[in-house]
Amino acid sequence: MQFIKELLAVAGLAHIRLADYSVACISTTRPIYLVFGHDADHPAYVIRRLADDHDFHTQQIHKYLYQLVGKRIPEPVGIFEHAQQKYDIQHGVKGAPWFQIKSKFHTETARAQLEARLWQTLVDFQSAITACNANETNTIQPHDELSRVFSEYQKIEQTENAELVKLVESAVSDLSGVPGCFAIPQHGDFCLNNLIIDTSHITVIDFEDYEITAMPMYDHFTLALSLPSCSEEPNLAVNAFKDTQIAATAEKLGIGASDIRWHFLHHILLRLGPWSTGEKRAKYRAWLKQLLASFIEAHAP
């Protein structure tokens, strides 16, 4: 692609290592260009066009996070302009997305080993962020946060569900009696599809939803629901919050075992708010609605 060659020249990246480069384009909501050097097994650069203010904000978040977590995420190069369009360029990383390698994890042992690595990646990512904010004492009131996301949910799903209303009231009542939680900025979509997996390292990508909430364990639920061991059947996936990794994290954070389910309800309702409206996430939203129905059936007072 000629414009990629010209863009690399503008960015001062058209060095000898890329003299014989190739470009692959991934079509998602916006095209992503992967620039490979000669015989390379991973991209040297990843390029995205910045189309709106949200894209620019995401790039700034990426730059900020790299200062906190380092090589746990791709290294940003910068923003460069070509033909009156601006592009975000970042260094590529070794590894592959889940859809390319999932067939290699066909045994229960292999999947369990991978999932242990995924959980550790989340722990390391959040630990690096909280370590940099160690002097801050921000707290979040879980009952207020649950009420807020339920209100957002009701604005979209205007048909009232009496059982859900009673359930949220019960959850808010329970949570109002516990101390506030330490606020931990969440990745926002820490799922299997946003991890690049290599044999010795896992890289976290996609920061469009960073700080969607500071409610602790939101990312844990997102990861749990995306794991190979989690059923795609909503009536089974609804038990994801019972994962031993989540229970251990809750204990460390001082969240009572009986309150974990209310944090999970917060997770479901937040994702059923503005986050999942639109065609991009329509299929996942439909699945989340089934998950919520299963949760209501299991926990209705």
Side-chain angles (χ1 to χ4, degrees):
M1 298 180 184
Q2 182 62 26
F3 93 92
I4 293 291
K5 181 177 180 180
E6 294 171 357
L7 177 63
L8 292 173
V10 168
L13 300 174
H15 47 72
I16 190 167
R17 187 162 60 93
L18 292 175
D20 238 356
Y21 71 86
S22 60
V23 179
C25 178
I26 301 175
S27 294
T28 57
T29 51
R30 53 177 175 151
I32 300 173
Y33 302 96
L34 309 180
V35 182
F36 292 84
H38 181 64
D39 287 339
D41 60 357
H42 68 280
Y45 300 107
V46 178
I47 302 173
R48 295 176 176 85
R49 184 172 71 85
L50 301 178
D52 53 31
D53 289 344
H54 181 68
D55 290 346
F56 280 92
H57 175 72
T58 300
Q59 195 277 339
Q60 292 302 306
I61 289 294
H62 185 176
K63 184 178 178 181
Y64 163 74
L65 283 175
Y66 187 78
Q67 295 173 345
L68 302 185
V69 306
K71 294 295 185 180
R72 293 179 179 87
I73 69 176
E75 180 181 0
V77 176
I79 297 175
F80 301 92
E81 186 171 342
H82 176 263
Q84 299 183 323
Q85 299 286 346
K86 292 186 177 179
Y87 295 86
D88 169 35
I89 302 180
Q90 58 188 247
H91 288 280
V93 297
K94 291 183 178 180
W98 172 245
F99 73 89
Q100 290 184 347
I101 61 173
K102 62 182 179 180
S103 61
K104 297 180 180 179
F105 297 89
H106 49 79
T107 68
E108 187 173 339
T109 299
R111 288 192 295 270
Q113 291 173 344
L114 172 64
E115 291 187 7
R117 292 180 61 203
L118 298 174
W119 283 117
Q120 189 59 50
T121 299
L122 175 55
V123 169
D124 293 344
F125 180 77
Q126 291 195 342
S127 295
I129 292 171
T130 54
C132 293
N133 297 322
N135 294 327
E136 298 182 12
T137 56
N138 295 334
T139 58
I140 191 169
Q141 300 297 327
H143 65 286
D144 287 341
E145 180 66 7
L146 177 57
S147 295
R148 183 187 68 80
V149 300
F150 183 50
S151 178
E152 291 294 318
Y153 166 82
Q154 287 178 306
K155 291 176 184 177
I156 297 170
E157 297 291 331
Q158 297 182 359
T159 302
E160 185 167 302
N161 183 322
E163 285 189 320
L164 176 58
V165 171
K166 289 181 181 178
L167 188 62
V168 171
E169 288 175 349
S170 178
V172 168
S173 176
D174 286 353
L175 293 174
S176 63
V178 302
C181 299
F182 180 61
I184 303 174
Q186 301 292 291
H187 174 281
D189 198 15
F190 199 101
C191 64
L192 198 52
N193 290 336
N194 286 330
L195 300 170
I196 303 298
I197 302 167
D198 192 31
T199 53
S200 60
H201 185 72
I202 296 176
T203 305
V204 184
I205 62 170
D206 192 348
F207 309 103
E208 289 187 11
D209 299 310
Y210 182 71
E211 282 192 308
I212 191 172
T213 183
M215 190 82 147
M217 302 207 307
Y218 180 87
D219 284 347
H220 287 72
F221 298 132
T222 307
L223 178 59
L225 288 170
S226 74
L227 292 176
S229 60
C230 183
S231 173
E232 294 183 3
E233 296 298 324
N235 63 319
L236 298 176
V238 74
N239 294 311
F241 74 92
K242 298 177 182 178
D243 190 287
T244 55
Q245 292 285 348
I246 290 176
T249 299
E251 184 176 4
K252 289 179 182 177
L253 293 171
I255 297 171
S258 61
D259 293 330
I260 297 174
R261 58 179 177 155
W262 301 138
H263 284 253
F264 186 50
L265 176 60
H266 164 271
H267 175 275
I268 298 171
L269 291 174
L270 193 157
R271 287 173 93 76
L272 278 170
W275 181 84
S276 61
T277 55
E279 188 175 346
K280 175 184 175 182
R281 292 174 172 140
K283 184 177 180 180
Y284 188 59
R285 183 178 182 85
W287 184 84
L288 284 169
K289 287 183 177 181
Q290 295 178 56
L291 186 70
L292 178 60
S294 294
F295 187 91
I296 295 170
E297 183 179 356
H299 299 279

